[in-house]
Amino acid sequence: MGTFDIDKDLESLVLSAEQIAEKVAEAADWLDKKFAFTHDTPLAVCVLKGSVFFFCDVVRAMKTPVQVDFMSVTSYGNSSESSGELEIIMDLTASVAGRSVILIEDIVDSGNTLSKIKDMILKRGARSFTVVTLLDKPSRRKLPIKADLSCCEVGDEFIVGYGLDYAQKYRDLPYIGILKREIYEKNSR
Ligand code: PRP
């Protein structure tokens, strides 16, 4: 296979499109096995916006029928550090009471989003809560929470692409890479 040029604002590649496809297949297979004997139709939840590409790829790769729902939350305000508070911008439309809920995330960083969403969904009466994340940054964790399946551990680097953004840019890249320091340092001056 030939090489290709990554976006000029990236210093290196973390996951190529092909490697992401392997992670998608792995996550879908893991979920299919886990839900093989479930009688209800699980509700797959996507937290906008970062997860949308991984979410769509995983639910389409699964053999298990699922229903899908979306929510939008914010916990970061204007800074890059989590404030710890989670504000629901757009809630799920489905009721989760008595259902198996699968959260499909792009990244678990401080763990704040996952922890708050898990509490909320269990408080609403979900029968079970399972979380699969494409990326995991354990070195940044502030809360003792883990995904049930983490497809790829990454270091404390500024990564973008395949849903992950910097100032809303780079989400549309089909691969994930490390953003050049000069790009985000120039804008924080
Ligand atoms: C990202 C990501 C997770 C969250 C993880 O979303 O999609 O939901 O951060 O970080 P945490 O573990 O520190 O809570 P973000 O709030 O950046 O919004 P976005 O998906 O719209 O980019």
Side-chain angles (χ1 to χ4, degrees):
M1 194 154 32
T3 55
F4 72 104
D5 292 327
I6 58 172
D7 188 282
K8 62 175 180 18
D9 294 349
L10 302 190
E11 66 173 44
S12 62
L13 196 61
V14 172
L15 288 175
S16 67
E18 290 76 16
Q19 288 169 321
I20 291 171
E22 285 169 19
K23 303 292 183 190
V24 165
E26 179 190 315
D29 186 51
W30 187 88
L31 285 166
D32 280 335
K33 289 195 172 96
K34 181 162 174 83
F35 290 94
F37 301 105
T38 301
H39 297 298
D40 66 326
T41 304
L43 182 70
V45 169
C46 173
V47 181
L48 300 169
K49 303 173 190 166
S51 317
V52 72
F53 302 99
F54 185 56
F55 177 87
C56 292
D57 286 346
V58 170
V59 295
R60 288 181 302 164
M62 286 174 71
K63 295 189 181 80
T64 312
V66 295
Q67 291 178 7
V68 299
D69 207 349
F70 301 85
M71 66 186 302
S72 180
V73 299
T74 182
S75 60
Y76 282 23
N78 289 324
S79 83
S80 62
E81 287 294 319
S82 174
S83 67
E85 293 301 315
L86 198 77
E87 186 189 345
I88 298 177
I89 308 290
M90 186 187 88
D91 208 340
L92 301 171
T93 56
S95 166
V96 301
R99 305 190 66 178
S100 305
V101 173
I102 304 170
L103 181 69
I104 301 177
E105 267 285 24
D106 54 338
I107 188 162
V108 181
D109 192 323
S110 70
N112 185 52
T113 308
L114 170 57
S115 168
K116 299 282 182 342
I117 289 178
K118 181 178 182 179
D119 286 352
M120 188 197 81
I121 285 177
L122 291 176
K123 211 181 272 175
R124 290 180 183 184
R127 189 156 72 99
S128 68
F129 179 85
T130 302
V131 55
V132 165
T133 186
L134 174 59
L135 301 161
D136 192 1
K137 269 188 183 176
S139 63
R140 297 258 305 172
R141 203 73 95 248
K142 291 198 178 122
L143 296 170
I145 192 156
K146 271 175 75 176
D148 297 289
L149 178 71
S150 292
C151 297
C152 181
E153 269 194 20
V154 289
D156 189 9
E157 264 126 5
F158 205 131
I159 50 177
V160 296
Y162 192 62
L164 296 153
D165 74 309
Y166 168 62
Q168 301 302 326
K169 286 177 71 182
Y170 313 108
R171 291 193 199 273
D172 54 339
L173 296 176
Y175 48 82
I176 294 169
I178 298 176
L179 192 63
K180 285 180 183 164
R181 189 171 279 273
E182 69 209 53
I183 303 292
Y184 53 92
E185 286 191 340
K186 149 177 102 185
N187 292 326
S188 63
R189 266 187 231 136

